[in-house]
Amino acid sequence: FAASPRAPPHSPPQLKMASQCIARSTVLPAQLRASNAVRSTATKAVAAQRKSAAVAKLSGFSAQKASQKVARDVRRYGEYGASSTSFYTTTEKQDKYDDLDTVLDTKCSDAKVKAVIKEMLDACADITEALRSALVTVEGSSNTFGDAQLSVDVIADEIMWDACRSSAVVAYGASEEEPEVKACNPEGEFTVCWDPLDGSSIVDNNWAVGTMIGIWGSKSGSKVGDNNGMLGATGRDQVTSMVALYGPRTTVLVALDDGVYEFSYGCTPEGCMSSDGTFAPWICSRTRITIAPDCKIFAPANMRAAQDLPGYKQLLDHFMENKYTLRYSGGMVPDVYQQFTKQQGVFSNPTSESSPAKLRLAFEAAPFGLLVEKAGGKTSDGVTGGSVLDVQINAVDQRTALCLGSANEVDRFNSMCC
């Protein structure tokens, strides 16, 4: 591993600790990319052999396809009881997948927005590699909310800061770990807000976690004296937003000109190999994703609030009495992300006196809210029943209740809980 990098001059104790953490747990983003390139070169020689072996193995399965289809149909139509409540993918393999540049060239008309999207995707790739090499340990520090910081929290946050400080288009940055808007590049165009690693309470289980990123124009805010693009702005002012999910694969949802697209990192499907035998780092795995107005999947957060809110208890009873499928991990990213893969679902997180709101408007609710509404879903601020994208951001750490997902289910939440 490389020697510990020197911490930047601001926030010395925290950044020094972050630098030490990175040095002993992983490597810096630039080094990550370099080591990945070396590793990629070393593995390319065997990639073709592995693919050939896989194709040969798959060809042996063709004779079994008819019986397998019968088995799937049996599972689908309920011969095995509860298994019929599961929702299996209906995504079919494509002959070809476009790479990132191809999609951005046609679906992102603003060159600077395109640049910041690519920079944030680079950061998500670096976080992916870091999560594969770093152990989940307590760092002996806490964030501004008093939460104990884990090694992976610190690493992910520093990778995001590194991306923003080195960017030519990012003017300001703000992290959920330390909610303060900080200057990055005075010539930049955007204010980037992020939750570096959502799911700290479940990452030690090796469950899926994620990164949420909201991107505003640096002059979109209206607060006098706080011309940093955030305060006074709303979620609807975002130029784009992105949510990365780190699971068995790394996938990222991105809001583009005509809808929501998903990009997958490090995948090597047939039809994507270039003439020199390499693969693009990011391929577009889903295009113009939509969320249906009705659903049978629910992810109920803050269930403690049901003790104070009769309407929320009635809503949970409705889900169970009508045999909705519960899909809830306790991590906001996987719990909402499933709406885009299953193309349906509802996530609810109301607030009450004894169970106050925890979700941050700028770092969590607004980025996901933009994606959900752009995919045809609906959002609620959990209080007035209006869209969470219309709530003005008056404090960096502003909290909010939230419901988002399939439109008719959000309407049901509003009628019972708002």
Side-chain angles (χ1 to χ4, degrees), residues 359-363 391-400:
L359 297 179
R360 280 83 176 181
L361 178 59
F363 302 105
V391 179
Q392 190 174 74
I393 303 170
N394 296 315
V396 180
D397 184 39
Q398 187 171 332
R399 313 296 179 96
T400 184

Side-chain angles (χ1 to χ4, degrees), residues 18-185:
S19 300
Q20 293 171 342
C21 171
I22 293 169
R24 67 173 175 270
S25 301
T26 183
V27 288
L28 288 172
Q31 295 169 298
L32 273 169
R33 286 189 282 271
S35 64
N36 289 345
V38 172
R39 187 161 53 238
S40 175
T41 300
T43 56
K44 282 171 191 172
V46 298
Q49 296 176 356
R50 288 178 177 172
K51 186 171 289 290
S52 297
V55 169
K57 184 181 292 186
L58 286 171
S59 65
F61 295 157
S62 58
Q64 305 173 20
K65 283 186 177 178
S67 61
Q68 287 177 338
K69 186 177 188 304
V70 171
R72 284 197 297 271
D73 289 344
V74 166
R75 178 176 64 185
R76 178 180 177 184
Y77 293 109
E79 290 288 329
Y80 299 143
S83 66
S84 65
T85 65
S86 297
F87 292 85
Y88 298 94
T89 186
T90 57
T91 302
E92 296 183 356
K93 177 185 173 183
Q94 301 176 32
D95 293 331
K96 185 179 183 301
Y97 294 84
D98 289 331
D99 63 20
L100 174 64
D101 287 333
T102 300
V103 175
L104 292 185
D105 286 344
T106 57
K107 303 300 182 181
C108 185
S109 56
D110 189 308
K112 291 183 178 179
V113 172
K114 187 186 306 183
V116 75
I117 287 173
K118 294 177 74 170
E119 289 171 349
M120 294 303 103
L121 284 172
D122 281 345
C124 293
D126 291 337
I127 292 172
T128 297
E129 301 300 337
L131 287 173
R132 291 173 179 170
S133 60
L135 294 176
V136 179
T137 58
V138 176
E139 281 301 305
S141 63
S142 60
N143 59 23
T144 55
F145 314 112
D147 302 326
Q149 285 186 301
L150 304 179
S151 56
V152 288
D153 291 325
V154 176
I155 293 167
D157 197 34
E158 187 60 22
I159 287 172
M160 288 298 299
W161 275 118
D162 181 83
C164 290
R165 289 175 183 139
S166 62
S167 170
V169 295
V170 176
Y172 299 95
S175 168
E176 187 254 5
E177 291 293 309
E178 187 181 357
E180 176 186 350
V181 181
K182 298 179 180 180
C184 294
N185 179 358

